[in-house]
Amino acid sequence: MDIVQLCEILMLIAFGLSWPFNITKSIRSRTAKGKSALFEIIVVCGYTIGMAGKLITFSRTGEFAYSIWFYIADITMVCIDLGLYVRNTHLDKLRDAGKQV
């Protein structure tokens, strides 16, 4: 692993550290207010494009980038938070309709 891959992995770790906090907040708050599904979808697209670049490099050179595992972890965490967004949006609608949640 060279310094470029190490820097990329550290960047992905830094971004990835925020998602567990965001997921915890989504679980505890039980509301989607103040959240943006579009933002999270854009983040997933960005991670997917970065991962696609690594897969293209692998197919051309045979060089495996260890950073791909961090892309997968980050995408997974964002998708979990997106799932919570969907759940919390449903809970918000129930609350707005005056139903017990």
Side-chain angles (χ1 to χ4, degrees):
M1 179 180 346
D2 64 4
I3 188 69
V4 174
Q5 278 194 37
L6 181 61
C7 287
E8 182 177 23
I9 288 170
L10 291 173
M11 180 260 320
L12 289 165
I13 289 170
F15 288 156
L17 287 175
S18 65
W19 291 110
F21 295 107
N22 211 20
I23 290 167
T24 302
K25 183 179 177 188
S26 293
I27 291 169
R28 289 182 180 161
S29 71
R30 298 176 59 86
T31 183
K33 294 178 179 164
K35 304 269 301 189
S36 170
L38 179 60
F39 170 76
E40 292 188 352
I41 290 167
I42 291 169
V43 170
V44 168
C45 289
Y47 283 140
T48 302
I49 291 166
M51 190 168 66
K54 298 302 170 185
L55 293 171
I56 292 167
T57 299
F58 178 71
S59 71
R60 290 181 178 172
T61 66
E63 181 181 338
F64 181 76
Y66 294 102
S67 59
I68 199 155
W69 300 113
F70 295 91
Y71 280 107
I72 292 168
D74 287 356
I75 289 169
T76 301
M77 288 187 283
V78 178
C79 288
I80 289 168
D81 200 49
L82 266 170
L84 290 167
Y85 175 87
V86 171
R87 179 201 73 164
N88 289 345
T89 299
H90 177 71
L91 293 175
D92 287 340
K93 287 178 183 175
L94 290 175
R95 272 191 294 275
D96 291 346
K99 296 185 179 176
Q100 184 79 12
V101 179

